[in-house]
Amino acid sequence: QDISFELPPRKRIAIVGPSGAGKTTLIHLLVRFWEYGDGRPGCSGKILMNGRDVQLYHPKDIRNLFGVVSQNTYLFNATIMENLLIASPGATEEQVIGAARNAEIHDFIVSLPQGYHTWIGEQGLRLSAGERQRLAIARALLKQAPILILDEPTANLDPLTEQQVLETLYGLMKRKTSLLITHRLVGLENVDEILVMDHGQIVERGTHAKLLAREGLYRRLWDLQHRILDAG
């Protein structure tokens, strides 16, 4: 309800809020997994891509514009190379390696006995959570889509791995039009604007510093995640 924002080229927006706030619903609407405006009361509004209603595009054409890194990217029981090429079957070996370098996973891959031809098991079970997520990042980069969507990309990572992956992601976001969906308020000083959602609405918006100063929902969520318990 009453959601309005613009994402121009190279801008980085984070959408944050508690579980159930509507963050993932918004992504489903953007990539046309769900549709909107079905004639029911209250179902008004539009999502525009370059000034054109997204519902006028073929769903495949819309999805080709987005590279998505989610918390549960599926990895097949195949080689690393085959898993990466899913994003772009015609990519050259040089392009695959370039994407892996940008995701900071290339050095790990070449350290394996069979390198890019290493089998990773069903859902990548032979890899750590951080390695699986870096492969997901490399796959999204190999697609070379103009818009990068990060949907809770570090939700299943331990704090140290999360910090390392976030450093990679924020470096990449400087060169991409990016939309970060997260309930983890870590490193958000690196984005241009933060939208705070609650119960399907944007209740606050601004930079990390400005939102902390407002003493609103963002500040309460920040304090909840960063408070230090007095063991004494």
Side-chain angles (χ1 to χ4, degrees), residues 17-213:
S19 297
K23 304 185 298 295
T24 299
T25 296
L26 183 59
I27 296 302
H28 288 166
L29 291 171
L30 287 176
V31 299
R32 292 195 63 189
F33 290 151
W34 296 351
E35 301 292 2
Y36 60 88
D38 60 2
R40 292 180 298 170
C43 291
S44 61
K46 292 182 179 180
I47 299 174
L48 305 179
M49 179 73 68
N50 288 335
R52 186 184 182 200
D53 193 323
V54 296
Q55 292 184 333
L56 297 177
Y57 292 87
H58 191 282
K60 182 179 179 180
D61 293 335
I62 282 291
R63 290 164 197 160
N64 283 339
L65 298 174
F66 295 97
V68 180
V69 179
S70 70
Q71 58 182 303
N72 295 310
T73 299
Y74 192 88
L75 296 174
F76 294 89
N77 186 15
T79 67
I80 290 174
M81 178 66 77
E82 289 168 329
N83 269 281
L84 291 175
L85 286 174
I86 288 171
S88 181
T92 65
E93 182 176 354
E94 183 180 35
Q95 289 171 325
V96 172
I97 292 174
R101 285 188 187 279
N102 286 331
E104 298 185 14
I105 188 70
H106 172 74
D107 289 347
F108 165 75
I109 294 173
V110 296
S111 73
L112 299 171
Q114 294 178 289
Y116 280 83
H117 300 288
T118 300
W119 284 74
I120 61 175
E122 191 69 31
Q123 277 286 38
L125 291 178
R126 295 181 181 177
L127 306 176
S128 70
E131 290 157 359
R132 290 194 295 270
Q133 203 62 342
R134 288 189 183 277
L135 279 185
I137 295 168
R139 181 191 282 175
L141 294 176
L142 187 60
K143 187 177 180 182
Q144 296 185 336
I147 304 170
L148 184 62
I149 292 181
L150 308 169
D151 186 7
E152 303 284 5
T154 62
N156 300 321
L157 304 180
D158 63 80
L160 178 59
T161 304
E162 176 186 45
Q163 185 62 42
Q164 294 169 343
V165 171
L166 281 175
E167 288 176 1
T168 299
L169 287 173
Y170 284 127
L172 296 172
M173 287 169 68
K174 293 178 181 178
R175 308 192 296 271
K176 285 275 189 178
T177 304
S178 308
L179 191 60
L180 169 64
I181 310 296
T182 183
H183 71 281
R184 295 276 294 128
L185 309 185
V186 179
L188 295 184
E189 63 275 8
N190 293 288
V191 302
D192 300 304
E193 184 180 21
I194 301 168
L195 309 179
V196 185
M197 290 188 67
D198 192 27
H199 295 96
Q201 295 182 303
I202 295 176
V203 296
E204 293 179 296
R205 63 199 308 161
T207 63
H208 172 72
K210 289 181 178 179
L211 289 172
L212 282 183

